Amino acid sequence: MTADDAGRAARDEAARAEYQRLRERGEAWRLMRTVDGELTLYRPEEVGFVGGGPGVMVRTVGGLRVLAVVFTAFTVILALTLPISWAQGRPFWGAVPLALVSAAFTWYAVAIIRKERRAVELRRQRGVPAPARYPY
């Protein structure tokens, strides 16, 4: 065990003790590794969007932005399809549930993007690094 490993183990143990103390007081904190590997306490609103894990397709906020743009375009196309199909005398009713589902996915992606933006701002104010995507 190197001196750095011993120092990290001591810092990890101190973070775990602080986490237990806060949990006993009833406070909701999360104990997570940072991008530099240190254990750090985060308020729930400071965590934001942590991509990764099994089965996750979108792993970054940029990917969420692309997804939101695609779903927005799909919603607009479907919303325009209905009046056009009515004008032709053949209403395409299948566009209604598809547009609603697409709008719901757009809303969800935008909500996650806003949550991450707020988390980044809160972490910056407190001087805490970003949480790691994957546990290590």
Side-chain angles (χ1 to χ4, degrees):
M1 179 181 279
T2 66
D4 187 44
D5 291 342
R8 176 181 266 187
R11 290 189 306 273
D12 286 356
E13 195 54 43
R16 285 185 186 100
E18 179 67 12
Y19 176 70
Q20 285 296 64
R21 187 183 68 74
L22 291 169
R23 294 280 302 208
E24 288 170 359
R25 286 183 20 193
E27 296 184 29
W29 287 76
R30 292 187 182 177
L31 184 63
M32 300 177 72
R33 293 252 178 231
T34 64
V35 290
D36 57 3
E38 294 292 325
L39 267 180
T40 301
L41 290 166
Y42 292 97
R43 292 183 192 103
E45 61 271 9
E46 291 175 337
V47 175
F49 174 73
V50 179
V56 176
M57 300 304 269
V58 178
R59 298 181 189 274
T60 63
V61 175
L64 279 174
R65 288 185 180 123
V66 169
L67 194 64
V69 168
V70 167
F71 277 120
T72 301
F74 192 59
T75 303
V76 169
I77 290 168
L78 288 170
L80 293 176
T81 300
L82 196 57
I84 292 171
S85 66
W86 279 344
Q88 295 175 350
R90 298 176 306 189
F92 177 47
W93 292 107
V96 174
L98 290 174
L100 291 174
V101 169
S102 180
F105 279 127
T106 300
W107 176 83
Y108 182 65
V110 169
I112 292 174
I113 292 167
R114 291 181 67 192
K115 179 181 176 182
E116 175 61 18
R117 184 178 298 151
R118 173 136 171 80
V120 167
E121 179 63 26
L122 290 172
R123 287 192 306 261
R124 188 184 61 74
Q125 287 174 1
R126 201 168 71 118
V128 180
R133 286 189 188 194
Y134 306 103
Y136 58 100

